[in-house]
Amino acid sequence: MKIAIVTGASSGLGREFALQISARYGKLDEIWVIARRKERLEQLADMIRIPVKVIDMDVTDLKQVDAFKKELEDIKPDVRILVNAAGYGKIGRFEELDLEEQLQMVNLNCIALTRFTGLVLPYMKKGRIINIASSAAFSPQANFAVYAASKAYVLSFSRGIGAELSDRGITVTAVCPGPVETEFFDVAGDSFKNLKMAKPDDVVYRALSDAAAGFDVSVYGITMKAARAAAKVIPHKLIVNAFKKL
């Protein structure tokens, strides 16, 4: 059974990935959509033309993850696409934000993503892994310190395992968007809401195209591509100070 798995599928980029994968890869037998909000997932399933398996779970809950692992072992699917889209961010000074909430951010953005990748890899003969990073991964950011660091991990991890898996016919793409019109800022805070935001469908279309082409990084839009280039030549200390002033 050829399947795609999408975490964080109840909203934002994860939801859009599930929709576009179903339209683009009609030969898949099933899409597994994973998130905590079951009602949202069921609504999404009604919009998808191929069979959908709704899995309502918290990807940071080890008991639920063990149940998911058992399901993989029982079904032994042929996973063609894995999208790790679950994640969140918080804007603000590290010392002023709730510490446990920031640790949970690391748990979701880094540890859960790594764990899911490791659990699914044995069921991939070939295919694509798409990890949602961020343009924040390009350099450290004051007032966004933990989030930027977590996404830098996603970018580095994706490129590293991508090199390891290339001889297996598995490509790994880190998606590094700037601000996107999703629920992200409802959680993160509205500090950057005045910035021009990309549409989720545009970001996902670019990401799927880049993944199909075998690119290790997907960046949507001229502005974010310029930001990536700038982060390679401008000292990170200057970038950090600029975000501190913002």
Side-chain angles (χ1 to χ4, degrees):
M1 182 171 66
K2 298 185 294 293
I3 72 167
I5 299 175
V6 182
T7 72
S10 62
S11 65
L13 292 178
R15 178 180 183 276
E16 188 61 34
F17 268 107
L19 290 171
Q20 291 198 32
I21 287 171
S22 68
R24 189 164 182 157
Y25 300 100
K27 292 184 178 180
L28 288 171
D29 296 306
E30 205 167 60
I31 295 182
W32 293 11
V33 292
I34 299 173
R36 291 178 300 174
R37 294 178 287 188
K38 186 177 182 180
E39 287 186 8
R40 291 270 194 104
L41 295 178
E42 291 173 341
Q43 292 169 3
L44 173 63
D46 290 338
M47 302 170 67
I48 293 177
R49 292 177 293 181
I50 64 179
V52 175
K53 184 180 184 68
V54 169
I55 303 175
D56 57 315
M57 65 174 289
D58 179 348
V59 296
T60 65
D61 186 310
L62 294 182
K63 288 184 178 180
Q64 295 181 50
V65 171
D66 282 343
F68 175 77
K69 179 182 178 182
K70 181 65 164 55
E71 195 151 19
L72 287 173
E73 292 170 347
D74 291 342
I75 297 174
K76 295 180 175 59
D78 178 4
V79 181
R80 295 300 179 91
I81 303 172
L82 168 64
V83 179
N84 285 306
Y88 75 93
K90 292 293 290 185
I91 298 170
R93 292 171 61 90
F94 172 75
E95 63 182 336
E96 295 175 356
L97 294 174
D98 182 77
L99 179 59
E100 290 304 316
E101 190 170 35
Q102 293 185 88
L103 292 174
Q104 178 62 11
M105 192 194 315
V106 175
N107 191 12
L108 179 58
N109 295 359
C110 301
I111 297 174
L113 179 145
T114 306
R115 181 179 288 115
F116 249 74
T117 302
L119 289 176
V120 171
L121 262 178
Y123 304 94
M124 297 186 76
K125 299 181 181 70
K126 60 181 180 179
R128 298 170 191 132
I129 298 172
I130 300 173
N131 293 327
I132 305 305
S134 167
S135 59
F138 300 149
S139 69
Q141 294 189 12
N143 302 315
F144 219 15
V146 173
Y147 177 77
S150 73
K151 293 304 183 179
Y153 170 85
V154 174
L155 176 57
S156 180
F157 172 71
S158 300
R159 299 183 83 172
I161 65 168
E164 296 175 3
L165 296 171
S166 60
D167 58 353
R168 286 182 51 186
I170 299 173
T171 62
V172 184
T173 304
V175 182
C176 298
V180 183
E181 287 184 7
T182 66
E183 297 175 6
F184 176 86
F185 288 100
D186 294 339
V187 176
D190 60 4
S191 299
F192 298 152
K193 277 191 172 181
N194 291 330
L195 296 177
K196 184 177 180 180
M197 296 197 183
K199 301 289 186 182
D201 55 332
D202 292 333
V203 173
V204 170
Y205 182 85
R206 178 76 267 155
L208 288 174
S209 298
D210 288 343
F215 295 163
D216 61 348
V217 179
S218 176
V219 181
Y220 172 78
I222 294 174
T223 302
M224 290 304 109
K225 289 179 179 178
R228 182 188 181 194
K232 293 179 180 179
V233 296
I234 298 174
H236 283 181
K237 184 175 182 179
L238 295 180
I239 297 174
V240 170
N241 287 335
F243 273 91
K244 181 179 178 181
K245 291 177 181 178
L246 285 175

